[in-house]
Amino acid sequence: MKEPYLTELPGFIDMDYMKGIADNMLTDEWMSLSDVEALALYTDVKVVDVEADDYLKSIRAKYPKLKSYIKLMKCSKGSWPVHIDEHRSSAISIPVTNCDNTKTTKFFKGGEIAESIYDQFGDKKGLWRSNEWLTYIQNAELAVEHATVMPTLINTKAPHQVTNSTDSVRIIFSWAYDAPYEEARADLA
């Protein structure tokens, strides 16, 4: 059961158009960084300005709770720790490259908040501390696993992790929605 974790949104956005934007943003340097470094140096800094793009601006006009920026994210071979997002309640994941059943988002139920964990984060293993962006969760039970092959609204307040079992890097856009998941789901239906 995918509720209350995710909702697929076929036809939400022109996928070829988004791939064109990504192709203009992707650099060899960005691709060579660890996932953690890429988040800090690129994903959180070099965003798509929705208001500067007429097509994206028209989508935001229809759904004004969409943020005015879109972030490009990568997941290398490995996994991201189970976490909840502190800075957003829901987001639309838009697949760009290498999005198939070998790269999944897993959602969990239960578990306990961890101040810090020693775990894999993409292609880097280390000690990760919960912070203003992410709260790490441990001892949670798998609820659902999903391959993002079309735009998908995700509940970022539910514990989740991203896994990649191949050497090909998964690239997605993430467009935050300024409302809790259930409200976003109703708005976008």
Side-chain angles (χ1 to χ4, degrees):
M1 180 163 163
K2 295 184 177 187
E3 283 305 318
Y5 305 104
L6 65 101
T7 302
E8 291 182 325
L9 303 170
F12 171 75
I13 201 162
D14 183 328
M15 302 294 290
D16 290 333
Y17 188 83
M18 295 308 291
K19 183 162 177 16
I21 292 174
D23 288 345
N24 289 327
M25 293 177 71
L26 293 169
T27 65
D28 291 340
E29 178 186 9
W30 187 75
M31 292 298 289
S32 70
L33 294 172
S34 73
D35 290 1
V36 174
E37 293 166 323
L39 282 169
L41 299 174
Y42 281 84
T43 298
D44 290 333
V45 177
K46 299 178 190 246
V47 299
V48 177
D49 180 0
V50 171
E51 296 303 307
D53 183 290
D54 288 340
Y55 173 63
L56 298 175
K57 191 175 173 179
S58 73
I59 295 171
R60 188 165 185 252
K62 187 175 179 182
Y63 305 108
K65 294 174 193 163
L66 285 166
K67 292 290 190 177
S68 62
Y69 56 87
I70 304 172
K71 295 184 176 190
L72 189 63
M73 304 174 83
K74 73 178 196 129
C75 179
S76 304
K77 186 175 186 176
S79 64
W80 290 15
V82 178
H83 65 279
I84 57 171
D85 294 15
E86 289 300 328
H87 60 290
R88 59 190 187 164
S89 298
S90 59
I92 300 169
S93 293
I94 303 166
V96 175
T97 305
N98 297 320
C99 298
D100 57 39
N101 62 4
T102 64
K103 294 120 185 128
T104 62
T105 303
K106 296 178 180 180
F107 291 89
F108 296 81
K109 55 186 175 182
E112 299 92 38
I113 292 174
E115 286 186 35
S116 64
I117 57 166
Y118 184 79
D119 203 351
Q120 193 78 22
F121 200 128
D123 51 359
K124 193 172 187 178
K125 193 156 191 147
L127 180 67
W128 313 108
R129 297 191 185 285
S130 291
N131 54 61
E132 69 272 14
W133 300 100
L134 303 174
T135 296
Y136 296 109
I137 305 295
Q138 58 190 7
N139 303 319
E141 178 185 335
L142 180 64
V144 69
E145 186 170 4
H146 176 75
T148 302
V149 296
M150 71 177 68
T152 304
L153 174 67
I154 64 168
N155 182 349
T156 58
K157 290 299 184 190
H160 59 284
Q161 81 178 145
V162 181
T163 63
N164 180 351
S165 62
T166 71
D167 290 327
S168 63
V169 177
R170 177 190 124 166
I171 309 290
I172 66 158
F173 277 115
S174 183
W175 197 347
Y177 199 86
D178 196 18
Y181 172 78
E182 287 300 332
E183 182 179 332
R185 187 172 171 262
D187 291 349
L188 294 161

